[in-house]
Amino acid sequence: MLKTYYHPEPMTYDGTQLRSLWTYRHFHIMGDSIVTFRGPCKVSLDKMVDLEDVLVGDSIYSAEMLHFIIEHFDMDLEKTVYRQRLFMAMIKEDLEEVCGGALIRRGDDLYWREKKLSVSIATLSPVSTLIHVGLNLRTEGTPVPTASLEQIGEKDPEGFARRLMNQYAAEVADIYLARCKVRGVE
Amino acid sequence: MLKTYYHPEPMTYDGTQLRSLWTYRHFHIMGDSIVTFRGPCKVSLDKMVDLEDVLVGDSIYSAEMLHFIIEHFDMDLEKTVYRQRLFMAMIKEDLEEVCGGALIRRGDDLYWREKKLSVSIATLSPVSTLIHVGLNLRTEGTPVPTASLEQIGEKDPEGFARRLMNQYAAEVADIYLARCKVRGVE
Amino acid sequence: MLKTYYHPEPMTYDGTQLRSLWTYRHFHIMGDSIVTFRGPCKVSLDKMVDLEDVLVGDSIYSAEMLHFIIEHFDMDLEKTVYRQRLFMAMIKEDLEEVCGGALIRRGDDLYWREKKLSVSIATLSPVSTLIHVGLNLRTEGTPVPTASLEQIGEKDPEGFARRLMNQYAAEVADIYLARCKVRGVE
Amino acid sequence: MLKTYYHPEPMTYDGTQLRSLWTYRHFHIMGDSIVTFRGPCKVSLDKMVDLEDVLVGDSIYSAEMLHFIIEHFDMDLEKTVYRQRLFMAMIKEDLEEVCGGALIRRGDDLYWREKKLSVSIATLSPVSTLIHVGLNLRTEGTPVPTASLEQIGEKDPEGFARRLMNQYAAEVADIYLARCKVRGVE
Amino acid sequence: MLKTYYHPEPMTYDGTQLRSLWTYRHFHIMGDSIVTFRGPCKVSLDKMVDLEDVLVGDSIYSAEMLHFIIEHFDMDLEKTVYRQRLFMAMIKEDLEEVCGGALIRRGDDLYWREKKLSVSIATLSPVSTLIHVGLNLRTEGTPVPTASLEQIGEKDPEGFARRLMNQYAAEVADIYLARCKVRGVE
Amino acid sequence: MLKTYYHPEPMTYDGTQLRSLWTYRHFHIMGDSIVTFRGPCKVSLDKMVDLEDVLVGDSIYSAEMLHFIIEHFDMDLEKTVYRQRLFMAMIKEDLEEVCGGALIRRGDDLYWREKKLSVSIATLSPVSTLIHVGLNLRTEGTPVPTASLEQIGEKDPEGFARRLMNQYAAEVADIYLARCKVRGVE
């Protein structure tokens, strides 16, 4: 079972968290996991892993975000991109109740009235695959127009984060079981 | 690129369509594909691949459904369950415009006001993995309370199917490219 | 976590138990599992999966055995043969206390004073890999000289089986975690 | 066939030997291999790959050990942890003759009368998976109570090492063949 | 090391040879292998595995062919198609000496002056991947214009077959070693 | 579909081009690709990835070569060595028209009258597998006797490169489809 952890202390996401075994090193959580914390997001060019962003010179900045770090100990990056897309869809599904369907997912991005709610990336390390998702808690100073969780109606980031982590853990477990209850066909 | 095909003739889905190379045999479409057709859904017990349904004695029946058959030529069933879940989320995302957010996804099922809109299964064959998704076009005679595409506001099943197939093909291609533009991390 | 189950009713092992989802169909246990039961062992030639036995015309028979059926929902048969060998080594390790080191493992076979204690095979199904291990509870009528659990000092097959299943579940979980706590090297 | 090599010159194991192609670079042995040498064991914190040891501040030291370095050119770390566990069980099996069953395996550790005989780790490199096993030849100065091969009755480390390497090569080859002689089941 | 075997008795290739463990069942050769024999080639529609041939109603017939059956005990069909293409290129390379470069490879087919020399298919079984290659020894009665080994200058099919099997075994071994002597890059 | 690109500006191949995402970083080509350029070849010892060359102290130098860089976004190095060998066979097949069959392929090397036409290596990066092939355009100063494309009759390196890249892209696509049109066998 994928482990979940809400870290109560604020931390800056600067890209060094997207590293194998970061969760184990810092929180002593071993195995597949999803961890959440709050804090600024400042990723310098040399820490960015999405070369598309690097090529166009995009910077990644937010004064405060809700960060999710997901680690799966298998090496199939394409599968982890599927996991990332599904996770983004799950964020949207959860937030619909508060924002009434105004969220749009495009690939791994979420938009609210054409303002960007999220940043996200999936990559692989020598021993695992990793996902980072950041959702804006504040919107001032971002390089593109952004929306925050509060603006779209979610006033309780911690409760939201805990709920979402549990949903993700349950969905991942359910997907594995779905694979264990079908017979093959011809 | 995953190929798409809307088959204009009605066909009954009886489980024999969930078979390797069915799309190639019947429509001469080679490679990864998504195909749609309309028709009844009647799966007898010996054709059911979800043993959970078999164990509880569930039957699968609908007078008319919009059927999607997806085939991916790799052998990772867990990855294909991720694809299936993402596809269900995409159906929900597309239908939101017409039904205003009332759709709920639970695993691989879609519900509208607690009525079931869909059936779905993912499995593997000796050479590929396969997904079937059926969306009700009519609701009379189903073994559980069901909703139809029309009831939730989608009046043009063919247009919807074509749009969804294109979205799925684009998302699958985009996911592969997302895997091709990141550097690894430590 | 791999699930364990001791089935209290006697059953004949005739090879049909070495089949995908047999554990789910019969005991409603979903996912990776190890199951134990007692009963005769009679595998006819057409049910044998080890072609080496088929080629030399070996028959498999025991009046009563303690049977283990293990199912892992991945498709790497070589890995499952490693699991099988390790499981045989674990049986030996556990029995040492009662028999004082007289057991010898050769590949997937266990011998006690040159008499065969066990039969075992690993194979794959369309959706999983499978292991069968049988340990003699009685020795009369076997095609080769055999030893029984009782002869080597284990008087409580059920207690032994439950202990071994727990050890295997713990070892499998521990192996996965061992894979999740090391950094890669150059 | 996995290649075996006993290196007659003493060398210090300091963690830099657990590196891809170390065996090829130093001994010109190409392909899957197991190599043995004798020498001290001193691994500084920055060379340790087991983060559990790093987190608890364990140091690894022995005045003299018999070292085994195993390299398999596939990328499945979990499979290589199975190989490691099986190899530890094989060490135990071999030493039983001299020490009469007093050895206990717990995961990847071997104990003799509650004293530690071994250290071991499995990890992966960019092109292979690797195992290190060290067995104490001397026990003074170790950070925890240890036993040596000599204490448990093995007076000929080189003969033991050569025998064990041959057994491992044979077992690995036999496991592959075991995978090549079974038919699949339903 | 892939095993080679030239079977001296004539046999008809009717498609039933393209089956897992056929080589082990008939010749007691265990593990990855390439086997050659001579005989007619008559594959009825229900035995054909290339559905493209089935769809266009192609029949496969030759009065006498030199047949190669290759079995690799891994499950990656795409990799085995690469092996097949390389094997076809190797046949061409070998025959150049006798026919002076007039052979053309198109995918998995070999042509000599626009006449077809070969038939070939690659597929997978539940436990392995398999390749069949047939080279015409006689040309009368074939459904398309064909060339024979003799026509293109190879008068000694057995010597050619033995040489080619050895070359294939050597190339496969060399490819594995090529994978074991490079360091990874960034 | 694998993308092809002929880069018209001369560049020195010094080993730093054999790096993940080099093609994307420099030419903004995303996904599996083959790229060609002309220029000197000078690889210093610390950039060489073939440790066999390093061990024997081989240097790699050519005043001018036609370079191919191939990147596949999967992680199976053995499969990519098969791709490399097939690519070398394709170069040979293409050049036969101009040089009349005098080219010999030995593993991943091409020879013309015992002079070396090519250098090549395949390796893996953290996110992909990579191939470099260099074909001599000039022969002076090389550490071993070499032949150039011009000497063997190919006067138009760019046309040759473009043709070969298209052939490779077509063969790779065809191989995938070959995997998608066969049924499995028993």
Side-chain angles (χ1 to χ4, degrees):
Chain A
M1 189 75 170
L2 184 128
K3 286 158 193 159
T4 65
Y5 175 59
Y6 184 86
H7 185 61
E9 306 299 320
M11 299 177 60
T12 297
Y13 178 83
D14 61 6
T16 60
Q17 292 77 15
L18 199 66
R19 187 187 168 195
S20 60
L21 298 163
W22 176 82
T23 299
Y24 181 53
R25 284 174 209 262
H26 287 262
F27 308 122
H28 299 197
I29 293 168
M30 209 186 275
D32 296 16
S33 64
I34 180 168
V35 168
T36 315
F37 60 91
R38 296 172 64 146
C41 183
K42 293 180 200 172
V43 185
S44 61
L45 214 65
D46 63 307
K47 288 286 181 301
M48 291 172 71
V49 301
D50 186 336
L51 295 190
E52 195 166 27
D53 290 347
V54 174
L55 284 181
V56 299
D58 271 4
S59 61
I60 298 181
Y61 172 78
S62 175
E64 193 181 17
M65 281 189 144
L66 185 66
H67 299 284
F68 298 88
I69 304 285
I70 300 174
E71 185 164 21
H72 286 274
F73 285 91
D74 62 47
M75 307 303 286
D76 185 339
L77 177 51
E78 193 189 46
K79 190 190 280 188
T80 287
V81 178
Y82 277 100
R83 287 164 172 147
Q84 175 203 31
R85 300 289 166 106
L86 184 59
F87 186 66
M88 300 316 286
M90 291 170 69
I91 293 174
K92 177 184 176 322
E93 289 168 1
D94 184 277
L95 291 172
E96 271 159 24
E97 239 170 276
V98 294
C99 77
L103 272 177
I104 302 292
R105 181 181 69 85
R106 292 194 194 111
D108 60 3
D109 286 322
L110 293 174
Y111 291 90
W112 182 74
R113 299 179 187 170
E114 291 306 311
K115 295 180 197 164
K116 212 158 174 276
L117 174 65
S118 63
V119 296
S120 181
I121 193 68
T123 188
L124 86 180
S125 81
V127 295
S128 60
T129 47
L130 293 155
I131 300 169
H132 170 247
V133 175
L135 303 177
N136 292 304
L137 293 174
R138 287 160 57 194
T139 60
E140 68 272 19
T142 53
V144 295
T146 49
S148 69
L149 275 181
E150 190 172 32
Q151 285 171 352
I152 68 174
E154 178 54 67
K155 313 294 189 195
D156 175 15
E158 180 178 338
F160 165 75
R162 291 184 184 279
R163 201 166 60 235
L164 203 65
M165 290 195 294
N166 289 337
Q167 286 165 358
Y168 185 67
E171 182 108 34
V172 165
D174 189 56
I175 284 169
Y176 184 70
L177 287 183
R179 181 252 174 281
C180 299
K181 63 171 192 172
V182 289
R183 60 173 184 79
V185 294
E186 247 180 72
Chain B
M1 190 75 173
L2 184 128
K3 285 158 194 158
T4 64
Y5 175 59
Y6 183 86
H7 185 61
E9 307 299 320
M11 297 176 61
T12 297
Y13 177 82
D14 60 6
T16 60
Q17 290 77 16
L18 199 67
R19 186 189 168 193
S20 61
L21 298 164
W22 176 81
T23 300
Y24 181 53
R25 283 174 209 262
H26 286 261
F27 308 123
H28 299 199
I29 293 168
M30 209 188 275
D32 296 16
S33 64
I34 179 168
V35 167
T36 316
F37 59 91
R38 298 173 63 147
C41 183
K42 296 180 198 169
V43 185
S44 60
L45 215 66
D46 64 307
K47 288 286 181 302
M48 291 173 72
V49 300
D50 186 336
L51 295 190
E52 197 167 25
D53 291 345
V54 173
L55 284 180
V56 299
D58 271 3
S59 61
I60 298 180
Y61 172 78
S62 175
E64 193 182 16
M65 280 188 144
L66 185 65
H67 298 285
F68 297 88
I69 304 285
I70 300 175
E71 184 164 22
H72 286 274
F73 285 90
D74 61 46
M75 306 302 287
D76 185 338
L77 178 51
E78 193 189 46
K79 189 189 281 187
T80 287
V81 179
Y82 276 100
R83 288 165 172 146
Q84 176 204 30
R85 299 288 166 107
L86 185 59
F87 186 66
M88 299 317 285
M90 291 170 69
I91 293 174
K92 177 184 177 321
E93 290 168 0
D94 185 277
L95 291 172
E96 270 159 24
E97 239 170 274
V98 294
C99 76
L103 270 177
I104 302 291
R105 179 180 70 85
R106 292 194 194 113
D108 60 3
D109 286 323
L110 293 174
Y111 291 89
W112 183 74
R113 301 181 183 167
E114 292 305 312
K115 295 179 197 164
K116 214 159 174 276
L117 174 65
S118 63
V119 296
S120 182
I121 192 70
T123 189
L124 85 179
S125 80
V127 295
S128 60
T129 47
L130 293 156
I131 301 169
H132 170 247
V133 176
L135 303 177
N136 292 304
L137 293 174
R138 289 161 56 193
T139 60
E140 67 272 21
T142 53
V144 295
T146 49
S148 70
L149 276 181
E150 190 171 33
Q151 285 171 353
I152 69 174
E154 180 53 68
K155 313 293 189 197
D156 175 17
E158 180 178 338
F160 165 75
R162 291 183 183 278
R163 201 166 59 236
L164 203 67
M165 292 195 292
N166 289 338
Q167 286 166 358
Y168 185 67
E171 184 108 32
V172 165
D174 189 57
I175 283 170
Y176 184 71
L177 287 183
R179 181 251 174 281
C180 298
K181 64 172 192 173
V182 290
R183 61 172 183 80
V185 295
E186 247 181 72
Chain C
M1 190 74 171
L2 184 127
K3 286 158 193 158
T4 65
Y5 175 60
Y6 183 86
H7 185 60
E9 307 298 321
M11 297 176 60
T12 296
Y13 178 83
D14 60 6
T16 59
Q17 291 77 15
L18 199 66
R19 186 188 168 194
S20 60
L21 298 164
W22 176 81
T23 299
Y24 181 53
R25 283 173 209 264
H26 287 261
F27 308 122
H28 298 199
I29 293 167
M30 209 187 276
D32 296 15
S33 64
I34 179 168
V35 168
T36 316
F37 59 91
R38 298 173 63 146
C41 184
K42 295 180 199 172
V43 185
S44 59
L45 214 66
D46 64 308
K47 287 285 181 302
M48 293 173 70
V49 301
D50 186 336
L51 295 191
E52 198 166 23
D53 291 346
V54 174
L55 284 181
V56 298
D58 272 3
S59 61
I60 298 180
Y61 172 78
S62 175
E64 194 182 16
M65 282 188 142
L66 186 65
H67 298 284
F68 297 89
I69 304 285
I70 300 174
E71 185 164 23
H72 287 274
F73 285 91
D74 61 46
M75 306 303 287
D76 185 339
L77 177 51
E78 194 189 45
K79 189 189 281 187
T80 286
V81 178
Y82 277 99
R83 288 165 172 146
Q84 176 203 31
R85 300 288 166 106
L86 185 59
F87 186 66
M88 300 316 287
M90 292 171 69
I91 292 174
K92 177 183 177 322
E93 289 168 0
D94 184 278
L95 291 173
E96 270 159 24
E97 241 170 273
V98 293
C99 76
L103 271 178
I104 302 291
R105 181 181 69 84
R106 291 195 195 110
D108 59 3
D109 286 322
L110 293 174
Y111 291 89
W112 183 73
R113 300 179 185 170
E114 292 306 311
K115 295 179 197 163
K116 212 156 175 278
L117 174 65
S118 63
V119 296
S120 182
I121 193 69
T123 189
L124 85 180
S125 80
V127 295
S128 60
T129 49
L130 294 155
I131 300 169
H132 170 247
V133 175
L135 302 177
N136 292 305
L137 293 175
R138 288 161 57 194
T139 60
E140 68 272 21
T142 53
V144 296
T146 50
S148 70
L149 276 182
E150 191 171 32
Q151 285 171 353
I152 68 174
E154 179 53 67
K155 312 293 190 199
D156 175 16
E158 180 177 339
F160 165 76
R162 290 183 184 278
R163 201 167 59 236
L164 203 67
M165 290 195 292
N166 288 338
Q167 286 165 358
Y168 184 67
E171 183 107 35
V172 165
D174 189 56
I175 283 170
Y176 185 70
L177 287 183
R179 181 252 174 281
C180 298
K181 63 170 193 173
V182 290
R183 61 172 183 81
V185 295
E186 246 180 74
Chain D
M1 189 76 171
L2 185 128
K3 285 158 194 160
T4 65
Y5 175 60
Y6 182 86
H7 185 61
E9 306 299 319
M11 298 175 61
T12 297
Y13 178 82
D14 61 5
T16 60
Q17 291 77 14
L18 200 66
R19 186 187 168 195
S20 60
L21 298 163
W22 176 82
T23 299
Y24 180 53
R25 283 174 210 264
H26 287 261
F27 309 122
H28 299 199
I29 293 168
M30 208 187 276
D32 296 16
S33 64
I34 179 168
V35 168
T36 316
F37 59 92
R38 297 174 63 148
C41 183
K42 294 179 198 171
V43 185
S44 60
L45 215 65
D46 63 307
K47 288 286 181 301
M48 292 172 70
V49 301
D50 186 335
L51 295 190
E52 197 167 26
D53 291 346
V54 174
L55 284 180
V56 298
D58 273 2
S59 61
I60 298 180
Y61 172 79
S62 175
E64 194 181 16
M65 281 189 144
L66 185 67
H67 298 284
F68 297 89
I69 304 284
I70 300 175
E71 185 164 22
H72 287 275
F73 285 91
D74 62 47
M75 306 303 286
D76 185 340
L77 178 50
E78 193 189 44
K79 190 190 280 187
T80 287
V81 178
Y82 277 99
R83 287 165 172 147
Q84 177 203 30
R85 300 287 166 108
L86 185 59
F87 186 66
M88 300 316 286
M90 291 170 69
I91 293 174
K92 178 183 176 323
E93 289 167 0
D94 184 277
L95 291 172
E96 270 159 24
E97 241 170 272
V98 294
C99 78
L103 272 177
I104 302 291
R105 180 181 70 84
R106 291 194 195 112
D108 60 4
D109 286 323
L110 293 174
Y111 291 89
W112 182 74
R113 300 178 186 171
E114 291 306 312
K115 295 178 198 165
K116 212 159 175 277
L117 174 65
S118 64
V119 295
S120 183
I121 192 69
T123 187
L124 85 180
S125 80
V127 295
S128 59
T129 48
L130 293 155
I131 300 169
H132 170 246
V133 175
L135 303 177
N136 291 304
L137 293 175
R138 288 162 56 194
T139 60
E140 68 271 20
T142 53
V144 296
T146 49
S148 70
L149 276 181
E150 189 171 34
Q151 286 172 352
I152 68 173
E154 179 54 68
K155 312 293 188 197
D156 175 15
E158 181 178 337
F160 165 75
R162 291 185 184 278
R163 200 167 60 235
L164 203 67
M165 290 195 293
N166 288 338
Q167 285 165 358
Y168 185 68
E171 183 108 32
V172 165
D174 189 56
I175 284 169
Y176 185 71
L177 287 184
R179 180 252 174 282
C180 299
K181 64 170 193 173
V182 290
R183 61 174 183 80
V185 294
E186 249 181 71
Chain E
M1 190 76 173
L2 184 128
K3 286 159 194 157
T4 64
Y5 175 59
Y6 183 86
H7 185 60
E9 306 300 320
M11 298 176 60
T12 297
Y13 179 83
D14 61 6
T16 61
Q17 291 78 15
L18 199 66
R19 186 188 168 194
S20 61
L21 298 163
W22 177 81
T23 299
Y24 181 53
R25 283 173 209 263
H26 287 262
F27 308 122
H28 299 198
I29 294 168
M30 210 188 275
D32 297 15
S33 64
I34 179 169
V35 168
T36 316
F37 60 90
R38 297 173 63 148
C41 183
K42 294 180 200 172
V43 185
S44 59
L45 214 65
D46 64 307
K47 288 285 181 300
M48 292 173 71
V49 301
D50 185 336
L51 296 190
E52 197 167 24
D53 291 346
V54 173
L55 285 180
V56 298
D58 271 3
S59 60
I60 298 181
Y61 172 78
S62 175
E64 193 181 17
M65 280 188 144
L66 186 66
H67 299 284
F68 298 89
I69 304 284
I70 300 174
E71 185 164 23
H72 287 275
F73 285 91
D74 61 45
M75 306 303 286
D76 185 339
L77 177 51
E78 194 189 45
K79 189 190 281 188
T80 287
V81 178
Y82 276 100
R83 288 164 172 147
Q84 176 204 30
R85 299 288 167 107
L86 185 58
F87 186 66
M88 300 316 287
M90 291 170 70
I91 293 174
K92 177 183 175 323
E93 290 168 359
D94 184 277
L95 291 172
E96 271 159 24
E97 241 171 272
V98 294
C99 77
L103 271 177
I104 301 292
R105 180 180 70 85
R106 292 195 194 111
D108 60 4
D109 286 323
L110 293 174
Y111 291 88
W112 183 73
R113 300 180 184 168
E114 292 305 312
K115 294 178 197 166
K116 213 158 175 277
L117 175 65
S118 63
V119 296
S120 182
I121 193 70
T123 188
L124 84 181
S125 80
V127 295
S128 60
T129 47
L130 294 156
I131 301 169
H132 169 248
V133 175
L135 302 177
N136 292 304
L137 293 174
R138 287 160 57 193
T139 60
E140 68 272 22
T142 54
V144 295
T146 50
S148 70
L149 276 181
E150 190 172 32
Q151 285 171 352
I152 69 174
E154 179 54 66
K155 313 292 188 197
D156 175 16
E158 181 177 339
F160 165 75
R162 290 184 183 277
R163 199 166 61 235
L164 203 67
M165 290 195 293
N166 289 337
Q167 286 165 357
Y168 185 67
E171 183 107 33
V172 165
D174 188 57
I175 283 169
Y176 184 71
L177 287 183
R179 181 252 174 281
C180 298
K181 62 170 194 173
V182 290
R183 62 174 182 79
V185 294
E186 245 181 74
Chain F
M1 189 75 172
L2 185 128
K3 285 158 193 160
T4 65
Y5 175 60
Y6 183 86
H7 185 61
E9 306 298 320
M11 298 176 61
T12 298
Y13 178 84
D14 61 5
T16 60
Q17 291 76 16
L18 200 66
R19 187 187 167 194
S20 62
L21 298 164
W22 176 81
T23 299
Y24 181 53
R25 282 173 211 264
H26 286 262
F27 308 122
H28 299 197
I29 293 168
M30 208 187 276
D32 297 15
S33 65
I34 180 168
V35 167
T36 315
F37 59 91
R38 298 173 62 147
C41 183
K42 295 179 199 172
V43 185
S44 60
L45 215 65
D46 64 306
K47 288 285 181 301
M48 291 172 71
V49 301
D50 187 335
L51 295 190
E52 197 166 25
D53 291 345
V54 173
L55 284 181
V56 300
D58 271 2
S59 61
I60 298 180
Y61 172 77
S62 175
E64 193 181 16
M65 281 189 144
L66 185 66
H67 298 284
F68 298 89
I69 305 285
I70 300 174
E71 185 164 22
H72 287 273
F73 285 91
D74 61 48
M75 306 303 286
D76 185 338
L77 177 51
E78 193 188 47
K79 190 191 280 188
T80 287
V81 178
Y82 276 100
R83 287 164 172 148
Q84 176 204 30
R85 300 287 166 107
L86 184 59
F87 186 66
M88 300 316 286
M90 290 170 70
I91 293 174
K92 177 183 176 322
E93 289 167 1
D94 184 277
L95 291 172
E96 270 159 24
E97 240 170 273
V98 292
C99 76
L103 272 176
I104 302 292
R105 181 180 69 86
R106 293 196 194 111
D108 59 3
D109 286 323
L110 293 175
Y111 291 89
W112 182 73
R113 300 179 185 169
E114 291 307 312
K115 296 180 198 163
K116 212 158 175 276
L117 174 65
S118 65
V119 296
S120 182
I121 192 70
T123 188
L124 86 180
S125 81
V127 295
S128 59
T129 48
L130 293 155
I131 301 169
H132 170 247
V133 175
L135 303 177
N136 292 305
L137 293 175
R138 287 161 56 194
T139 60
E140 68 272 20
T142 53
V144 295
T146 49
S148 70
L149 276 181
E150 190 172 32
Q151 284 171 353
I152 68 174
E154 178 55 67
K155 313 294 187 194
D156 175 16
E158 180 177 339
F160 165 76
R162 290 184 184 279
R163 201 167 59 234
L164 203 67
M165 291 196 292
N166 288 337
Q167 286 165 357
Y168 185 68
E171 182 107 35
V172 165
D174 189 56
I175 283 169
Y176 185 71
L177 287 184
R179 181 252 174 282
C180 298
K181 65 172 193 173
V182 289
R183 61 174 184 79
V185 294
E186 248 181 70

